[in-house]
C-alpha cells in the first residue's frame, strides 16, 4: 500500500511539474487593489441534475460548464480571441472517502482544470469538462497536492522548501479559482426565521482578479463571484453568462 501510494504521488508530482508554468497573458490576471466587487447568480439543483442525468458526469461537471460559459462571455465582451482558448482554474476537491461523510477535517486539496471557453457548443463544452475531470482523477494530481500539504507538517526542511515553492508557484499558473461546496439540503432557521438563500464569497489574492464560489442549500445552487474593483467592472457579464450556461444546456438535455 505504501509503495502504491508513493508511486501515485510521484506520478502526480510529475503532472504538477508540467503544469506549474505561468498562465498566458490575459485580462483575467494582473495586479489587484484593496477594493472588491461582488455579484451573484442562481440556479436549482434539480435543473443541474436534469442536465447531469442526460449527459452523465457529476453535478460539479455541469457547474463548471456553466462557469465556463460565463468566462466565455466575459472574454468575448473584452474582445479577447476565443479560438482554442482555455481558462485555467484551480478547483478544490474533497479527498474524503464515502465512509468519512460528515467528518469535519481538512481532507481537501486542489487540481488544475482548463475551462474550454474556446468551444462554442454547450454540450461539447460539458463533454470536454467531464472527460478532463475524469482524467484528473486518474492522473493522481490530487494525491500530489495532498502530499505537498502533508509534507509541510513533517518533512525535512529542504524537501519542505521545495514542495512549498511548487505550491506557491501554482497560483501564478492559474487565472481563476472555482470552488463548489455542498451545503445542507434542509432549511435552516435563526430566531424562528427561515434562511431563504445564502451566497458564498471567495477571497482573491496575488494576480487572480476573479474568483467563483458555489454553495448549494435547500435545493438551490448559489454562485458568488468576487472581482477586483478596478479590474472587473464588467462582473455582471460573467454572472449573466453563468445563468445562460445552464439555460442553454437544459433544452439539449430534454432532447436526449
Amino acid at each position: 500500500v505504501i509503495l502504491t501510494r508513493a508511486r501515485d504521488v510521484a506520478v502526480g508530482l510529475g503532472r504538477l511539474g508540467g503544469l506549474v508554468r505561468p498562465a498566458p497573458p490575459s485580462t483575467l490576471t494582473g495586479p489587484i487593489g484593496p477594493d472588491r466587487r461582488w455579484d451573484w447568480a442562481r440556479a436549482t439543483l434539480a435543473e443541474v441534475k436534469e442536465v447531469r442525468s442526460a449527459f452523465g458526469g457529476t453535478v460539479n461537471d455541469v457547474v463548471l460548464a456553466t462557469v465556463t460559459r460565463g468566462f466565455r462571455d466575459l472574454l468575448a465582451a473584452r474582445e479577447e480571441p476565443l479560438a482554442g482558448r482555455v481558462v485555467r482554474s484551480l478547483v478544490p476537491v474533497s479527498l474524503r472517502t464515502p465512509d468519512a461523510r460528515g467528518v469535519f477535517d481538512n481532507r481537501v486539496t486542489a487540481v488544475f482544470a482548463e475551462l474550454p471557453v474556446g468551444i462554442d457548443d454547450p454540450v461539447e463544452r460539458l463533454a470536454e469538462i467531464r472527460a478532463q475531470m475524469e482524467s484528473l482523477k486518474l492522473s493522481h494530481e490530487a494525491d500530489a497536492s495532498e502530499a505537498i500539504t502533508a509534507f509541510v507538517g513533517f518533512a525535512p526542511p529542504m524537501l519542505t522548501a521545495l514542495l512549498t515553492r511548487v505550491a506557491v508557484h501554482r497560483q501564478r499558473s492559474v487565472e481563476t479559482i472555482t470552488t463548489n461546496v455542498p451545503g445542507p439540503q434542509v432549511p435552516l432557521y435563526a430566531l424562528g426565521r427561515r434562511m431563504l438563500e445564502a451566497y458564498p464569497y471567495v477571497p482573491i489574492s496575488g494576480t487572480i482578479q476573479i474568483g467563483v464560489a458555489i454553495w448549494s442549500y435547500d435545493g438551490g445552487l448559489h454562485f458568488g463571484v468576487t472581482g477586483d474593483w478596478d479590474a472587473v467592472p464588467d462582473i455582471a457579464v460573467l454572472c449573466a453568462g453563468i445563468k445562460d450556461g445552464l439555460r442553454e444546456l437544459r433544452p439539449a438535455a430534454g432532447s436526449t
Side-chain angles (χ1 to χ4, degrees), residues 61-62 64-73 82 85 114-132 241 244-246 248-249:
D61 294 340
V62 180
L64 287 177
T66 65
V67 172
T68 300
R69 166 63 191 268
F71 277 107
R72 176 180 169 85
D73 287 2
L82 292 176
R85 180 78 156 84
E114 295 187 333
L115 307 181
V117 295
I119 298 177
D120 179 58
D121 183 83
V123 177
E124 290 182 17
R125 280 200 302 267
L126 176 57
E128 169 61 25
I129 288 172
R130 178 186 174 189
Q132 188 180 153
D244 290 339
L246 184 57
E248 68 184 354
L249 280 168

PDB file of all heavy atoms in Angstrom, residues 61-62 64-73 82 85 114-132 241 244-246 248-249:
ATOM      1  N   ASP A  61     -19.349  18.785 -12.732  1.00  0.00           N
ATOM      2  CA  ASP A  61     -19.051  18.949 -14.161  1.00  0.00           C
ATOM      3  C   ASP A  61     -20.009  19.959 -14.791  1.00  0.00           C
ATOM      4  O   ASP A  61     -19.597  20.834 -15.562  1.00  0.00           O
ATOM      5  CB  ASP A  61     -19.170  17.607 -14.896  1.00  0.00           C
ATOM      6  CG  ASP A  61     -18.130  16.590 -14.464  1.00  0.00           C
ATOM      7  OD1 ASP A  61     -17.097  16.999 -13.892  1.00  0.00           O
ATOM      8  OD2 ASP A  61     -18.361  15.386 -14.686  1.00  0.00           O
ATOM      9  N   VAL A  62     -21.297  19.828 -14.466  1.00  0.00           N
ATOM     10  CA  VAL A  62     -22.297  20.746 -15.025  1.00  0.00           C
ATOM     11  C   VAL A  62     -22.055  22.159 -14.512  1.00  0.00           C
ATOM     12  O   VAL A  62     -22.138  23.140 -15.268  1.00  0.00           O
ATOM     13  CB  VAL A  62     -23.720  20.280 -14.676  1.00  0.00           C
ATOM     14  CG1 VAL A  62     -24.755  21.243 -15.257  1.00  0.00           C
ATOM     15  CG2 VAL A  62     -23.973  18.867 -15.197  1.00  0.00           C
ATOM     16  N   LEU A  64     -19.202  23.483 -13.568  1.00  0.00           N
ATOM     17  CA  LEU A  64     -18.027  24.029 -14.258  1.00  0.00           C
ATOM     18  C   LEU A  64     -18.361  24.431 -15.690  1.00  0.00           C
ATOM     19  O   LEU A  64     -17.814  25.409 -16.212  1.00  0.00           O
ATOM     20  CB  LEU A  64     -16.888  23.011 -14.245  1.00  0.00           C
ATOM     21  CG  LEU A  64     -16.175  22.793 -12.911  1.00  0.00           C
ATOM     22  CD1 LEU A  64     -15.119  21.697 -13.043  1.00  0.00           C
ATOM     23  CD2 LEU A  64     -15.533  24.080 -12.411  1.00  0.00           C
ATOM     24  N   ALA A  65     -19.263  23.686 -16.327  1.00  0.00           N
ATOM     25  CA  ALA A  65     -19.672  24.041 -17.696  1.00  0.00           C
ATOM     26  C   ALA A  65     -20.396  25.381 -17.716  1.00  0.00           C
ATOM     27  O   ALA A  65     -20.202  26.193 -18.636  1.00  0.00           O
ATOM     28  CB  ALA A  65     -20.559  22.943 -18.280  1.00  0.00           C
ATOM     29  N   THR A  66     -21.239  25.640 -16.708  1.00  0.00           N
ATOM     30  CA  THR A  66     -21.935  26.928 -16.670  1.00  0.00           C
ATOM     31  C   THR A  66     -20.964  28.064 -16.382  1.00  0.00           C
ATOM     32  O   THR A  66     -21.087  29.153 -16.958  1.00  0.00           O
ATOM     33  CB  THR A  66     -23.053  26.917 -15.610  1.00  0.00           C
ATOM     34  OG1 THR A  66     -22.500  26.784 -14.305  1.00  0.00           O
ATOM     35  CG2 THR A  66     -24.020  25.772 -15.859  1.00  0.00           C
ATOM     36  N   VAL A  67     -19.996  27.813 -15.518  1.00  0.00           N
ATOM     37  CA  VAL A  67     -18.978  28.838 -15.230  1.00  0.00           C
ATOM     38  C   VAL A  67     -18.137  29.105 -16.478  1.00  0.00           C
ATOM     39  O   VAL A  67     -17.756  30.247 -16.757  1.00  0.00           O
ATOM     40  CB  VAL A  67     -18.100  28.398 -14.042  1.00  0.00           C
ATOM     41  CG1 VAL A  67     -16.922  29.355 -13.855  1.00  0.00           C
ATOM     42  CG2 VAL A  67     -18.927  28.335 -12.763  1.00  0.00           C
ATOM     43  N   THR A  68     -17.864  28.050 -17.238  1.00  0.00           N
ATOM     44  CA  THR A  68     -17.106  28.210 -18.484  1.00  0.00           C
ATOM     45  C   THR A  68     -17.838  29.141 -19.440  1.00  0.00           C
ATOM     46  O   THR A  68     -17.227  30.018 -20.072  1.00  0.00           O
ATOM     47  CB  THR A  68     -16.885  26.840 -19.155  1.00  0.00           C
ATOM     48  OG1 THR A  68     -16.155  25.991 -18.261  1.00  0.00           O
ATOM     49  CG2 THR A  68     -16.103  26.989 -20.454  1.00  0.00           C
ATOM     50  N   ARG A  69     -19.163  28.976 -19.550  1.00  0.00           N
ATOM     51  CA  ARG A  69     -19.947  29.882 -20.403  1.00  0.00           C
ATOM     52  C   ARG A  69     -19.818  31.323 -19.902  1.00  0.00           C
ATOM     53  O   ARG A  69     -19.707  32.270 -20.700  1.00  0.00           O
ATOM     54  CB  ARG A  69     -21.408  29.440 -20.416  1.00  0.00           C
ATOM     55  CG  ARG A  69     -22.389  30.478 -20.975  1.00  0.00           C
ATOM     56  CD  ARG A  69     -22.141  30.809 -22.460  1.00  0.00           C
ATOM     57  NE  ARG A  69     -22.925  31.970 -22.853  1.00  0.00           N
ATOM     58  CZ  ARG A  69     -24.156  31.924 -23.374  1.00  0.00           C
ATOM     59  NH1 ARG A  69     -24.764  30.754 -23.563  1.00  0.00           N
ATOM     60  NH2 ARG A  69     -24.786  33.030 -23.708  1.00  0.00           N
ATOM     61  N   GLY A  70     -19.816  31.492 -18.584  1.00  0.00           N
ATOM     62  CA  GLY A  70     -19.665  32.833 -18.037  1.00  0.00           C
ATOM     63  C   GLY A  70     -18.349  33.476 -18.436  1.00  0.00           C
ATOM     64  O   GLY A  70     -18.312  34.647 -18.864  1.00  0.00           O
ATOM     65  N   PHE A  71     -17.267  32.728 -18.327  1.00  0.00           N
ATOM     66  CA  PHE A  71     -15.963  33.278 -18.708  1.00  0.00           C
ATOM     67  C   PHE A  71     -15.863  33.464 -20.220  1.00  0.00           C
ATOM     68  O   PHE A  71     -15.192  34.399 -20.692  1.00  0.00           O
ATOM     69  CB  PHE A  71     -14.832  32.369 -18.208  1.00  0.00           C
ATOM     70  CG  PHE A  71     -14.459  32.622 -16.783  1.00  0.00           C
ATOM     71  CD1 PHE A  71     -14.806  31.729 -15.782  1.00  0.00           C
ATOM     72  CD2 PHE A  71     -13.761  33.770 -16.424  1.00  0.00           C
ATOM     73  CE1 PHE A  71     -14.469  31.975 -14.458  1.00  0.00           C
ATOM     74  CE2 PHE A  71     -13.405  34.019 -15.106  1.00  0.00           C
ATOM     75  CZ  PHE A  71     -13.776  33.117 -14.112  1.00  0.00           C
ATOM     76  N   ARG A  72     -16.520  32.610 -20.987  1.00  0.00           N
ATOM     77  CA  ARG A  72     -16.523  32.784 -22.446  1.00  0.00           C
ATOM     78  C   ARG A  72     -17.168  34.123 -22.809  1.00  0.00           C
ATOM     79  O   ARG A  72     -16.628  34.890 -23.615  1.00  0.00           O
ATOM     80  CB  ARG A  72     -17.281  31.624 -23.098  1.00  0.00           C
ATOM     81  CG  ARG A  72     -17.437  31.756 -24.617  1.00  0.00           C
ATOM     82  CD  ARG A  72     -18.200  30.567 -25.195  1.00  0.00           C
ATOM     83  NE  ARG A  72     -18.557  30.821 -26.587  1.00  0.00           N
ATOM     84  CZ  ARG A  72     -17.765  30.603 -27.623  1.00  0.00           C
ATOM     85  NH1 ARG A  72     -16.547  30.137 -27.429  1.00  0.00           N
ATOM     86  NH2 ARG A  72     -18.166  30.850 -28.854  1.00  0.00           N
ATOM     87  N   ASP A  73     -18.312  34.410 -22.184  1.00  0.00           N
ATOM     88  CA  ASP A  73     -18.996  35.671 -22.461  1.00  0.00           C
ATOM     89  C   ASP A  73     -18.156  36.866 -22.016  1.00  0.00           C
ATOM     90  O   ASP A  73     -18.113  37.897 -22.699  1.00  0.00           O
ATOM     91  CB  ASP A  73     -20.347  35.695 -21.757  1.00  0.00           C
ATOM     92  CG  ASP A  73     -21.371  34.788 -22.414  1.00  0.00           C
ATOM     93  OD1 ASP A  73     -21.022  34.106 -23.400  1.00  0.00           O
ATOM     94  OD2 ASP A  73     -22.529  34.747 -21.939  1.00  0.00           O
ATOM     95  N   LEU A  82     -11.072  33.824 -28.830  1.00  0.00           N
ATOM     96  CA  LEU A  82     -11.589  32.652 -28.132  1.00  0.00           C
ATOM     97  C   LEU A  82     -11.129  31.330 -28.744  1.00  0.00           C
ATOM     98  O   LEU A  82     -11.171  30.293 -28.079  1.00  0.00           O
ATOM     99  CB  LEU A  82     -13.119  32.688 -28.115  1.00  0.00           C
ATOM    100  CG  LEU A  82     -13.762  33.794 -27.265  1.00  0.00           C
ATOM    101  CD1 LEU A  82     -15.272  33.766 -27.436  1.00  0.00           C
ATOM    102  CD2 LEU A  82     -13.390  33.640 -25.799  1.00  0.00           C
ATOM    103  N   ARG A  85      -9.001  28.743 -26.889  1.00  0.00           N
ATOM    104  CA  ARG A  85      -8.712  29.353 -25.582  1.00  0.00           C
ATOM    105  C   ARG A  85      -9.243  28.497 -24.443  1.00  0.00           C
ATOM    106  O   ARG A  85     -10.302  27.896 -24.536  1.00  0.00           O
ATOM    107  CB  ARG A  85      -9.359  30.737 -25.533  1.00  0.00           C
ATOM    108  CG  ARG A  85      -9.158  31.505 -24.230  1.00  0.00           C
ATOM    109  CD  ARG A  85      -7.772  32.123 -24.154  1.00  0.00           C
ATOM    110  NE  ARG A  85      -7.751  33.275 -23.260  1.00  0.00           N
ATOM    111  CZ  ARG A  85      -7.601  33.215 -21.934  1.00  0.00           C
ATOM    112  NH1 ARG A  85      -7.500  32.046 -21.328  1.00  0.00           N
ATOM    113  NH2 ARG A  85      -7.563  34.328 -21.222  1.00  0.00           N
ATOM    114  N   GLU A 114      -8.828  23.146 -16.965  1.00  0.00           N
ATOM    115  CA  GLU A 114      -8.759  24.107 -18.061  1.00  0.00           C
ATOM    116  C   GLU A 114     -10.156  24.255 -18.652  1.00  0.00           C
ATOM    117  O   GLU A 114     -10.650  23.378 -19.366  1.00  0.00           O
ATOM    118  CB  GLU A 114      -7.736  23.649 -19.095  1.00  0.00           C
ATOM    119  CG  GLU A 114      -6.315  23.641 -18.523  1.00  0.00           C
ATOM    120  CD  GLU A 114      -5.264  23.363 -19.582  1.00  0.00           C
ATOM    121  OE1 GLU A 114      -5.581  22.692 -20.586  1.00  0.00           O
ATOM    122  OE2 GLU A 114      -4.120  23.813 -19.403  1.00  0.00           O
ATOM    123  N   LEU A 115     -10.804  25.355 -18.312  1.00  0.00           N
ATOM    124  CA  LEU A 115     -12.175  25.584 -18.763  1.00  0.00           C
ATOM    125  C   LEU A 115     -12.163  25.911 -20.257  1.00  0.00           C
ATOM    126  O   LEU A 115     -11.573  26.917 -20.670  1.00  0.00           O
ATOM    127  CB  LEU A 115     -12.800  26.735 -17.972  1.00  0.00           C
ATOM    128  CG  LEU A 115     -12.732  26.619 -16.440  1.00  0.00           C
ATOM    129  CD1 LEU A 115     -13.411  27.818 -15.784  1.00  0.00           C
ATOM    130  CD2 LEU A 115     -13.340  25.309 -15.957  1.00  0.00           C
ATOM    131  N   PRO A 116     -12.821  25.099 -21.080  1.00  0.00           N
ATOM    132  CA  PRO A 116     -12.709  25.225 -22.549  1.00  0.00           C
ATOM    133  C   PRO A 116     -13.588  26.330 -23.120  1.00  0.00           C
ATOM    134  O   PRO A 116     -14.560  26.077 -23.843  1.00  0.00           O
ATOM    135  CB  PRO A 116     -13.128  23.843 -23.044  1.00  0.00           C
ATOM    136  CG  PRO A 116     -14.127  23.385 -22.025  1.00  0.00           C
ATOM    137  CD  PRO A 116     -13.640  23.940 -20.701  1.00  0.00           C
ATOM    138  N   VAL A 117     -13.247  27.568 -22.848  1.00  0.00           N
ATOM    139  CA  VAL A 117     -14.062  28.696 -23.319  1.00  0.00           C
ATOM    140  C   VAL A 117     -14.027  28.837 -24.840  1.00  0.00           C
ATOM    141  O   VAL A 117     -14.870  29.533 -25.417  1.00  0.00           O
ATOM    142  CB  VAL A 117     -13.604  30.015 -22.661  1.00  0.00           C
ATOM    143  CG1 VAL A 117     -13.849  29.996 -21.161  1.00  0.00           C
ATOM    144  CG2 VAL A 117     -12.133  30.296 -22.956  1.00  0.00           C
ATOM    145  N   GLY A 118     -13.081  28.196 -25.495  1.00  0.00           N
ATOM    146  CA  GLY A 118     -12.993  28.278 -26.947  1.00  0.00           C
ATOM    147  C   GLY A 118     -13.997  27.409 -27.672  1.00  0.00           C
ATOM    148  O   GLY A 118     -14.151  27.522 -28.892  1.00  0.00           O
ATOM    149  N   ILE A 119     -14.702  26.529 -26.948  1.00  0.00           N
ATOM    150  CA  ILE A 119     -15.699  25.657 -27.569  1.00  0.00           C
ATOM    151  C   ILE A 119     -17.048  26.358 -27.565  1.00  0.00           C
ATOM    152  O   ILE A 119     -17.544  26.761 -26.507  1.00  0.00           O
ATOM    153  CB  ILE A 119     -15.795  24.307 -26.832  1.00  0.00           C
ATOM    154  CG1 ILE A 119     -14.450  23.568 -26.905  1.00  0.00           C
ATOM    155  CG2 ILE A 119     -16.902  23.448 -27.420  1.00  0.00           C
ATOM    156  CD1 ILE A 119     -14.426  22.246 -26.146  1.00  0.00           C
ATOM    157  N   ASP A 120     -17.656  26.482 -28.733  1.00  0.00           N
ATOM    158  CA  ASP A 120     -18.914  27.213 -28.861  1.00  0.00           C
ATOM    159  C   ASP A 120     -20.115  26.386 -28.436  1.00  0.00           C
ATOM    160  O   ASP A 120     -21.029  26.889 -27.781  1.00  0.00           O
ATOM    161  CB  ASP A 120     -19.089  27.679 -30.311  1.00  0.00           C
ATOM    162  CG  ASP A 120     -20.404  28.426 -30.520  1.00  0.00           C
ATOM    163  OD1 ASP A 120     -20.621  29.439 -29.828  1.00  0.00           O
ATOM    164  OD2 ASP A 120     -21.210  27.981 -31.347  1.00  0.00           O
ATOM    165  N   ASP A 121     -20.129  25.103 -28.765  1.00  0.00           N
ATOM    166  CA  ASP A 121     -21.284  24.255 -28.485  1.00  0.00           C
ATOM    167  C   ASP A 121     -21.333  23.888 -26.996  1.00  0.00           C
ATOM    168  O   ASP A 121     -20.359  23.357 -26.456  1.00  0.00           O
ATOM    169  CB  ASP A 121     -21.227  22.982 -29.325  1.00  0.00           C
ATOM    170  CG  ASP A 121     -22.448  22.107 -29.112  1.00  0.00           C
ATOM    171  OD1 ASP A 121     -23.481  22.358 -29.757  1.00  0.00           O
ATOM    172  OD2 ASP A 121     -22.370  21.179 -28.280  1.00  0.00           O
ATOM    173  N   PRO A 122     -22.443  24.158 -26.289  1.00  0.00           N
ATOM    174  CA  PRO A 122     -22.506  23.908 -24.852  1.00  0.00           C
ATOM    175  C   PRO A 122     -22.368  22.437 -24.469  1.00  0.00           C
ATOM    176  O   PRO A 122     -21.770  22.110 -23.436  1.00  0.00           O
ATOM    177  CB  PRO A 122     -23.873  24.460 -24.450  1.00  0.00           C
ATOM    178  CG  PRO A 122     -24.676  24.481 -25.706  1.00  0.00           C
ATOM    179  CD  PRO A 122     -23.696  24.755 -26.797  1.00  0.00           C
ATOM    180  N   VAL A 123     -22.929  21.549 -25.285  1.00  0.00           N
ATOM    181  CA  VAL A 123     -22.831  20.114 -24.987  1.00  0.00           C
ATOM    182  C   VAL A 123     -21.393  19.639 -25.154  1.00  0.00           C
ATOM    183  O   VAL A 123     -20.890  18.834 -24.364  1.00  0.00           O
ATOM    184  CB  VAL A 123     -23.798  19.312 -25.876  1.00  0.00           C
ATOM    185  CG1 VAL A 123     -23.637  17.820 -25.622  1.00  0.00           C
ATOM    186  CG2 VAL A 123     -25.239  19.738 -25.617  1.00  0.00           C
ATOM    187  N   GLU A 124     -20.710  20.142 -26.176  1.00  0.00           N
ATOM    188  CA  GLU A 124     -19.303  19.783 -26.367  1.00  0.00           C
ATOM    189  C   GLU A 124     -18.445  20.322 -25.227  1.00  0.00           C
ATOM    190  O   GLU A 124     -17.499  19.662 -24.781  1.00  0.00           O
ATOM    191  CB  GLU A 124     -18.796  20.331 -27.706  1.00  0.00           C
ATOM    192  CG  GLU A 124     -19.373  19.629 -28.922  1.00  0.00           C
ATOM    193  CD  GLU A 124     -18.793  20.185 -30.216  1.00  0.00           C
ATOM    194  OE1 GLU A 124     -17.736  20.856 -30.155  1.00  0.00           O
ATOM    195  OE2 GLU A 124     -19.403  19.957 -31.269  1.00  0.00           O
ATOM    196  N   ARG A 125     -18.763  21.528 -24.740  1.00  0.00           N
ATOM    197  CA  ARG A 125     -18.030  22.082 -23.598  1.00  0.00           C
ATOM    198  C   ARG A 125     -18.178  21.181 -22.375  1.00  0.00           C
ATOM    199  O   ARG A 125     -17.208  20.883 -21.684  1.00  0.00           O
ATOM    200  CB  ARG A 125     -18.529  23.489 -23.264  1.00  0.00           C
ATOM    201  CG  ARG A 125     -17.995  24.581 -24.140  1.00  0.00           C
ATOM    202  CD  ARG A 125     -18.124  25.946 -23.475  1.00  0.00           C
ATOM    203  NE  ARG A 125     -19.488  26.292 -23.109  1.00  0.00           N
ATOM    204  CZ  ARG A 125     -20.322  26.979 -23.874  1.00  0.00           C
ATOM    205  NH1 ARG A 125     -19.937  27.389 -25.074  1.00  0.00           N
ATOM    206  NH2 ARG A 125     -21.541  27.262 -23.454  1.00  0.00           N
ATOM    207  N   LEU A 126     -19.408  20.746 -22.111  1.00  0.00           N
ATOM    208  CA  LEU A 126     -19.658  19.872 -20.970  1.00  0.00           C
ATOM    209  C   LEU A 126     -18.925  18.545 -21.129  1.00  0.00           C
ATOM    210  O   LEU A 126     -18.330  18.037 -20.172  1.00  0.00           O
ATOM    211  CB  LEU A 126     -21.164  19.633 -20.812  1.00  0.00           C
ATOM    212  CG  LEU A 126     -21.589  18.651 -19.713  1.00  0.00           C
ATOM    213  CD1 LEU A 126     -21.066  19.085 -18.352  1.00  0.00           C
ATOM    214  CD2 LEU A 126     -23.111  18.508 -19.692  1.00  0.00           C
ATOM    215  N   ALA A 127     -18.950  17.981 -22.337  1.00  0.00           N
ATOM    216  CA  ALA A 127     -18.258  16.711 -22.576  1.00  0.00           C
ATOM    217  C   ALA A 127     -16.759  16.853 -22.354  1.00  0.00           C
ATOM    218  O   ALA A 127     -16.110  15.964 -21.787  1.00  0.00           O
ATOM    219  CB  ALA A 127     -18.549  16.223 -23.997  1.00  0.00           C
ATOM    220  N   GLU A 128     -16.185  17.979 -22.787  1.00  0.00           N
ATOM    221  CA  GLU A 128     -14.761  18.219 -22.598  1.00  0.00           C
ATOM    222  C   GLU A 128     -14.421  18.327 -21.110  1.00  0.00           C
ATOM    223  O   GLU A 128     -13.418  17.775 -20.645  1.00  0.00           O
ATOM    224  CB  GLU A 128     -14.350  19.493 -23.334  1.00  0.00           C
ATOM    225  CG  GLU A 128     -12.958  20.009 -23.005  1.00  0.00           C
ATOM    226  CD  GLU A 128     -11.861  19.029 -23.358  1.00  0.00           C
ATOM    227  OE1 GLU A 128     -12.066  18.182 -24.263  1.00  0.00           O
ATOM    228  OE2 GLU A 128     -10.783  19.090 -22.719  1.00  0.00           O
ATOM    229  N   ILE A 129     -15.246  19.032 -20.365  1.00  0.00           N
ATOM    230  CA  ILE A 129     -15.006  19.172 -18.922  1.00  0.00           C
ATOM    231  C   ILE A 129     -15.138  17.824 -18.222  1.00  0.00           C
ATOM    232  O   ILE A 129     -14.320  17.466 -17.368  1.00  0.00           O
ATOM    233  CB  ILE A 129     -15.981  20.204 -18.317  1.00  0.00           C
ATOM    234  CG1 ILE A 129     -15.590  21.604 -18.772  1.00  0.00           C
ATOM    235  CG2 ILE A 129     -15.986  20.128 -16.792  1.00  0.00           C
ATOM    236  CD1 ILE A 129     -16.588  22.669 -18.404  1.00  0.00           C
ATOM    237  N   ARG A 130     -16.158  17.070 -18.589  1.00  0.00           N
ATOM    238  CA  ARG A 130     -16.347  15.753 -17.979  1.00  0.00           C
ATOM    239  C   ARG A 130     -15.135  14.861 -18.227  1.00  0.00           C
ATOM    240  O   ARG A 130     -14.620  14.223 -17.296  1.00  0.00           O
ATOM    241  CB  ARG A 130     -17.608  15.100 -18.553  1.00  0.00           C
ATOM    242  CG  ARG A 130     -17.866  13.712 -18.011  1.00  0.00           C
ATOM    243  CD  ARG A 130     -19.045  13.046 -18.707  1.00  0.00           C
ATOM    244  NE  ARG A 130     -19.188  11.669 -18.287  1.00  0.00           N
ATOM    245  CZ  ARG A 130     -20.021  10.793 -18.858  1.00  0.00           C
ATOM    246  NH1 ARG A 130     -20.793  11.183 -19.861  1.00  0.00           N
ATOM    247  NH2 ARG A 130     -20.089   9.552 -18.423  1.00  0.00           N
ATOM    248  N   ALA A 131     -14.660  14.814 -19.467  1.00  0.00           N
ATOM    249  CA  ALA A 131     -13.501  13.985 -19.794  1.00  0.00           C
ATOM    250  C   ALA A 131     -12.251  14.464 -19.040  1.00  0.00           C
ATOM    251  O   ALA A 131     -11.448  13.664 -18.559  1.00  0.00           O
ATOM    252  CB  ALA A 131     -13.250  14.010 -21.304  1.00  0.00           C
ATOM    253  N   GLN A 132     -12.119  15.770 -18.952  1.00  0.00           N
ATOM    254  CA  GLN A 132     -10.951  16.337 -18.279  1.00  0.00           C
ATOM    255  C   GLN A 132     -10.941  16.011 -16.791  1.00  0.00           C
ATOM    256  O   GLN A 132      -9.908  15.622 -16.239  1.00  0.00           O
ATOM    257  CB  GLN A 132     -10.939  17.849 -18.481  1.00  0.00           C
ATOM    258  CG  GLN A 132      -9.686  18.523 -17.985  1.00  0.00           C
ATOM    259  CD  GLN A 132      -9.731  20.017 -18.213  1.00  0.00           C
ATOM    260  OE1 GLN A 132      -9.096  20.768 -17.486  1.00  0.00           O
ATOM    261  NE2 GLN A 132     -10.470  20.473 -19.200  1.00  0.00           N
ATOM    262  N   GLY A 241     -23.636  35.195 -17.899  1.00  0.00           N
ATOM    263  CA  GLY A 241     -23.206  34.043 -18.686  1.00  0.00           C
ATOM    264  C   GLY A 241     -23.383  32.732 -17.946  1.00  0.00           C
ATOM    265  O   GLY A 241     -23.702  31.699 -18.553  1.00  0.00           O
ATOM    266  N   ASP A 244     -26.970  31.843 -18.321  1.00  0.00           N
ATOM    267  CA  ASP A 244     -27.231  31.392 -19.689  1.00  0.00           C
ATOM    268  C   ASP A 244     -26.618  30.023 -19.942  1.00  0.00           C
ATOM    269  O   ASP A 244     -27.124  29.254 -20.773  1.00  0.00           O
ATOM    270  CB  ASP A 244     -26.683  32.409 -20.691  1.00  0.00           C
ATOM    271  CG  ASP A 244     -27.468  33.711 -20.692  1.00  0.00           C
ATOM    272  OD1 ASP A 244     -28.632  33.695 -20.243  1.00  0.00           O
ATOM    273  OD2 ASP A 244     -26.915  34.744 -21.131  1.00  0.00           O
ATOM    274  N   GLY A 245     -25.516  29.712 -19.249  1.00  0.00           N
ATOM    275  CA  GLY A 245     -24.860  28.427 -19.436  1.00  0.00           C
ATOM    276  C   GLY A 245     -25.758  27.255 -19.067  1.00  0.00           C
ATOM    277  O   GLY A 245     -25.771  26.223 -19.759  1.00  0.00           O
ATOM    278  N   LEU A 246     -26.509  27.403 -17.999  1.00  0.00           N
ATOM    279  CA  LEU A 246     -27.444  26.348 -17.621  1.00  0.00           C
ATOM    280  C   LEU A 246     -28.688  26.399 -18.501  1.00  0.00           C
ATOM    281  O   LEU A 246     -29.225  25.357 -18.902  1.00  0.00           O
ATOM    282  CB  LEU A 246     -27.831  26.494 -16.153  1.00  0.00           C
ATOM    283  CG  LEU A 246     -28.739  25.403 -15.581  1.00  0.00           C
ATOM    284  CD1 LEU A 246     -28.113  24.020 -15.749  1.00  0.00           C
ATOM    285  CD2 LEU A 246     -29.051  25.663 -14.114  1.00  0.00           C
ATOM    286  N   GLU A 248     -28.941  27.138 -21.592  1.00  0.00           N
ATOM    287  CA  GLU A 248     -28.725  26.572 -22.915  1.00  0.00           C
ATOM    288  C   GLU A 248     -28.535  25.046 -22.879  1.00  0.00           C
ATOM    289  O   GLU A 248     -28.741  24.361 -23.875  1.00  0.00           O
ATOM    290  CB  GLU A 248     -27.515  27.224 -23.593  1.00  0.00           C
ATOM    291  CG  GLU A 248     -26.180  26.893 -22.947  1.00  0.00           C
ATOM    292  CD  GLU A 248     -25.023  27.631 -23.600  1.00  0.00           C
ATOM    293  OE1 GLU A 248     -25.246  28.311 -24.610  1.00  0.00           O
ATOM    294  OE2 GLU A 248     -23.883  27.536 -23.090  1.00  0.00           O
ATOM    295  N   LEU A 249     -28.160  24.507 -21.709  1.00  0.00           N
ATOM    296  CA  LEU A 249     -27.974  23.064 -21.600  1.00  0.00           C
ATOM    297  C   LEU A 249     -29.277  22.331 -21.353  1.00  0.00           C
ATOM    298  O   LEU A 249     -29.426  21.167 -21.755  1.00  0.00           O
ATOM    299  CB  LEU A 249     -26.993  22.740 -20.464  1.00  0.00           C
ATOM    300  CG  LEU A 249     -25.503  22.897 -20.771  1.00  0.00           C
ATOM    301  CD1 LEU A 249     -24.690  22.827 -19.491  1.00  0.00           C
ATOM    302  CD2 LEU A 249     -25.032  21.841 -21.769  1.00  0.00           C
TER     303      LEU A 249
END
